[in-house]
Amino acid sequence: MSVRRRFYARPLLATAASIAVLTGVAATAPATTPSEAGAASPASALDDTYYQDALGKTGTALKSSLHTIISDQTKLSYTQVWDALKATDEDPSNASNVILLYTGRSQSKSTNGGDTGDWNREHVWAKSHGDFGTSTGPGTDIHHLRPTDVQVNSVRGNKDFDNGGSTVSGAPGNYTDSDSFEPRDAVKGDVARMILYMAVRYEGDDAFADLEPNDSVNNGSAPNIGRLSVLKQWSQEDPPDSFEQNRNDVIFDRFQHNRNPFIDHPEWVEAIW
C-alpha cells in the first residue's frame, strides 16, 4: 500500500455551540437554516452544563461518562434522515444545496436518490461493521450519516479508513485500494471524529453491537473499523472547522439533541485512545 502523509492545518476556530436542548419530534422541527440555529455560546458554557460530568476524567472513565451523556438523544427514522441531512449539511453559500462529504461538491438538495449523479446517505461507520443496517439507532444516527455522491459512496463501500491507494474517479483528493479508503484532506478529521463518536455512543448496552476502532483494515463484518492510529493522526492534523461545528450545533438543537464531544473537545481523542 502506498502511503502519503500530509501535514496541514485549518484554523481551529472557537467552538460554537448552542446550549438549549429542544424537545419534540425531529421531523417537525422549524425549517431554519444552519446559520439561524442560534447564537454561538462559549465552550465553557457547555462544560458547565452538557459536559459537566465528564470534566477532569481520562481513559475509560472519560469514555464511560461521555457515553452516558451522548446516549440521551432523540432517534430518527431512516426516512427522516433525508430531511435532516438537508439541514445539517446545507451549503453556507447556497441554502438550496448540500455539501457532499467526499467530493466537496455543492449539489441541489432535491437531487437525493440512488441514480448516477444523485447524492445518498453514506454511513461513515459502515453499517456492515456491526451489522446494524438502517435500523433506528446507529443506522440512523446523523452524527455519522453524510450526503455523498452515489458512485463515490459505492467506491468507499464498507472499507476501513487508511492512507494510500489510487485516486477515486470523480473525487479528486480521495484514494482507495482493496482494503481501505482515504478521504480528501479537508474532511479527514471530520471522518475520524465521526468514527470515534460512534465508538463512544454505541457500547453494546442497547441491543446493538459494541462498536470499537482498532488498528486494522479488512475488518469485514466485525463491529470494528480501522485504522485507529491513522484516524488519530487525521483528527490532529485536521481540527474542527466552522462547517463541522455548525453541523454539531444543528444536530443538537434541531434533531437528535446530543453532541459529538470530539468536535467540542478534540483533545479528548488522545485522552481516551
Side-chain angles (χ1 to χ4, degrees), residues 34 85-100 105-111 119 147 243:
L85 295 185
K86 292 175 184 179
T88 59
D89 291 73
E90 183 179 293
D91 182 347
S93 300
N94 185 345
S96 297
N97 287 9
V98 290
I99 300 292
L100 306 191
R105 185 170 74 239
S106 178
Q107 183 158 325
S108 172
K109 292 177 179 179
S110 65
T111 59
W119 64 268
F243 187 90

Side-chain angles (χ1 to χ4, degrees), residues 12 131 248:
L12 179 56
D131 193 30
N248 201 23

Side-chain angles (χ1 to χ4, degrees):
M1 177 185 295
S2 62
V3 175
R4 285 173 300 281
R5 295 189 180 276
R6 303 181 182 83
F7 294 91
Y8 56 88
R10 288 184 286 167
L12 179 56
L13 304 178
T15 299
S18 172
I19 63 173
V21 178
L22 306 183
T23 59
V25 179
T28 59
T32 56
T33 65
S35 62
E36 296 168 340
S41 298
S44 60
L46 286 169
D47 288 348
D48 291 342
T49 54
Y50 191 71
Y51 293 121
Q52 182 177 6
D53 293 339
L55 300 182
K57 297 177 180 177
T58 60
T60 56
L62 175 58
K63 189 174 184 233
S64 177
S65 181
L66 291 175
H67 170 70
T68 299
I69 292 168
I70 67 177
S71 294
D72 183 8
Q73 69 178 98
T74 296
K75 296 180 176 66
L76 307 182
S77 71
Y78 199 45
T79 299
Q80 286 175 310
V81 167
W82 284 121
D83 287 335
L85 295 185
K86 292 175 184 179
T88 59
D89 291 73
E90 183 179 293
D91 182 347
S93 300
N94 185 345
S96 297
N97 287 9
V98 290
I99 300 292
L100 306 191
L101 177 64
Y102 298 133
T103 63
R105 185 170 74 239
S106 178
Q107 183 158 325
S108 172
K109 292 177 179 179
S110 65
T111 59
N112 60 296
D115 295 330
T116 299
D118 287 347
W119 64 268
N120 61 4
R121 298 160 291 187
E122 154 77 325
H123 290 80
V124 177
W125 185 293
K127 55 185 181 288
S128 63
H129 289 236
D131 193 30
F132 52 76
T134 58
S135 300
T136 297
T140 65
D141 193 319
I142 55 176
H143 277 295
H144 85 118
L145 279 155
R146 300 292 294 267
T148 56
D149 177 89
V150 166
Q151 290 175 290
V152 177
N153 190 350
S154 179
V155 171
R156 189 269 158 135
N158 67 349
K159 295 175 183 175
D160 294 84
F161 293 103
D162 197 2
N163 292 310
S166 303
T167 301
V168 175
S169 178
N174 297 263
Y175 302 88
T176 193
D177 55 24
S178 62
D179 58 20
S180 69
F181 188 90
E182 177 184 351
R184 60 192 176 99
D185 288 351
V187 296
K188 278 184 164 68
D190 309 51
V191 166
R193 287 179 285 273
M194 285 185 278
I195 292 296
L196 299 179
Y197 161 87
M198 293 292 284
V200 171
R201 170 61 186 87
Y202 299 98
E203 293 277 42
D205 55 2
D206 52 5
F208 294 106
D210 180 5
L211 306 182
E212 292 295 337
N214 61 17
D215 215 34
S216 302
V217 292
N218 273 330
N219 277 295
S221 61
N224 305 109
I225 278 187
R227 186 179 301 265
L228 177 58
S229 59
V230 172
L231 293 170
K232 288 173 62 179
Q233 176 189 349
W234 290 354
S235 182
Q236 183 176 20
E237 293 174 2
D238 175 35
D241 64 5
S242 58
F243 187 90
E244 189 181 4
Q245 291 168 337
N246 183 75
R247 188 175 196 278
N248 201 23
D249 290 343
V250 174
I251 293 172
F252 181 57
D253 289 341
R254 293 182 51 192
F255 296 102
Q256 293 186 178
H257 315 309
N258 70 340
R259 303 187 68 83
N260 182 333
F262 304 111
I263 297 173
D264 297 322
H265 282 279
E267 73 277 8
W268 281 345
V269 172
E270 191 65 35
I272 293 175
W273 289 281

